[in-house]
């Protein structure tokens, strides 16, 4: 129970990587705050965690709404671990990209992460400890058609990681960059694309959300006590091909 006594906030944790991350952190002893827009899925995630012997609560929050982000920070209060996982990715070719989806991706993937961290990091700095893990993507290092805006938002996240590692003294700030992962959202969008990219990795398959969650746990835990400002790529070896 290496995270016993710690509070962890995981954004976008009612499905996919976020949900598995919340479960993994709870198994490690953290009290987890689950967030998302869907109260039903939030309650289900909390129930799963509690059935496994963990402690969790749900706070509804739409990360595309800056006021909701600020309310989330106020309601949660001090945390020891912040996992900025919430993200959207309505892919489109550059010439077909709508302004609405462009704004949505920057609002959720960058603006929300920025101001939530700005609200919660000072508490960590005051304690002289804490871990922030931002979720990026392999798309920042690999050109994927239709992912121009999504990749740009995540490149911004990786830049923020490096800056925050310098700014927030005593707080470790790192990034996890997943490769192709099978989640409900991916299955609903275009599962064939993920499977195709997965076959192109050195391991020849897609990842399961729990495999990404274990990487987050490592960076959030004392096992990574001397790791900060880094990007842990979990992509099956895709980016070295």
């Amino acid at each position: 129970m290496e995270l016993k006594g710690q509070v962890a906030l995981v954004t976008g944790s009612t499905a996919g990587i976020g949900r598995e991350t919340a479960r993994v952190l709870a198994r490690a002893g953290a009290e987890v705050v689950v967030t998302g827009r869907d109260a039903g899925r939030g309650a289900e995630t909390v129930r799963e965690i509690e059935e496994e012997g963990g402690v969790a609560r749900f706070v509804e929050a739409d990360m595309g709404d800056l006021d909701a982000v600020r309310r989330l920070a106020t309601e949660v209060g001090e945390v020891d671990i912040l996992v900025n996982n919430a993200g959207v990715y309505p892919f489109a070719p550059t010439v077909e990209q709508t302004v609405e989806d462009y704004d949505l991706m920057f609002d959720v993937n960058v603006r929300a992460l920025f101001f939530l961290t700005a609200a919660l990091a000072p508490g960590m700095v005051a304690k002289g400890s804490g871990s922030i893990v931002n979720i990026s993507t392999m798309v920042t290092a690999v050109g994927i058609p239709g992912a121009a805006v999504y990749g740009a938002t995540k490149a911004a996240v990786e830049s923020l990681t490096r800056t925050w590692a310098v700014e927030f003294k005593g707080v470790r700030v790192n990034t996890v960059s997943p490769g192709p992962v099978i989640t409900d959202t991916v299955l609903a969008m275009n599962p064939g694309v993920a499977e195709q990219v997965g076959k192109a990795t050195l391991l020849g398959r897609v990842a399961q959300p729990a495999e990404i969650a274990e990487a987050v746990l490592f960076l959030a835990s004392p096992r990574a006590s001397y790791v900060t400002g880094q990007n842990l790529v979990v992509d099956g070896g895709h980016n070295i091909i």
Side-chain angles (χ1 to χ4, degrees), residues 13-16 19 34 37-46 58 184-185:
S13 46
T14 61
R19 187 172 189 159
V34 175
R37 293 177 298 172
D38 190 318
R41 292 196 305 185
E44 183 180 346
T45 303
V46 169
F58 174 71
D184 290 341
T185 303

Side-chain angles (χ1 to χ4, degrees), residues 86 104-115 152-154 156-157 160 164:
L104 177 65
M105 280 186 273
F106 272 95
D107 287 350
V108 175
N109 299 358
V110 183
R111 186 183 69 177
L113 171 147
F114 184 94
F115 286 104
T153 65
K154 292 302 188 177
V157 169
L160 288 172
W164 289 341

Side-chain angles (χ1 to χ4, degrees), residues 80-104:
D80 303 285
I81 298 166
L82 170 61
V83 181
N84 285 309
N85 167 77
V88 294
Y89 41 92
F91 283 12
T94 298
V95 297
E96 299 175 13
Q97 183 69 67
T98 66
V99 173
E100 291 76 16
D101 282 347
Y102 179 101
D103 288 342
L104 177 65

Side-chain angles (χ1 to χ4, degrees), residues 23 55 72 75 102 130 141 152 170 177 204 218 229 234:
R23 294 176 66 185
V55 177
L72 172 64
E75 184 166 346
Y102 179 101
S177 290
F218 168 69
V234 189

Side-chain angles (χ1 to χ4, degrees), residues 160-199:
L160 288 172
T161 291
R162 293 186 292 270
T163 301
W164 289 341
V166 176
E167 284 189 355
F168 302 143
K169 302 300 183 184
V171 180
R172 295 184 299 104
V173 189
N174 293 288
T175 301
V176 170
S177 290
V181 184
I182 285 296
T183 65
D184 290 341
T185 303
V186 170
L187 289 172
M189 289 176 59
N190 193 335
V193 171
E195 294 288 355
Q196 182 179 1
V197 176
K199 289 177 181 177

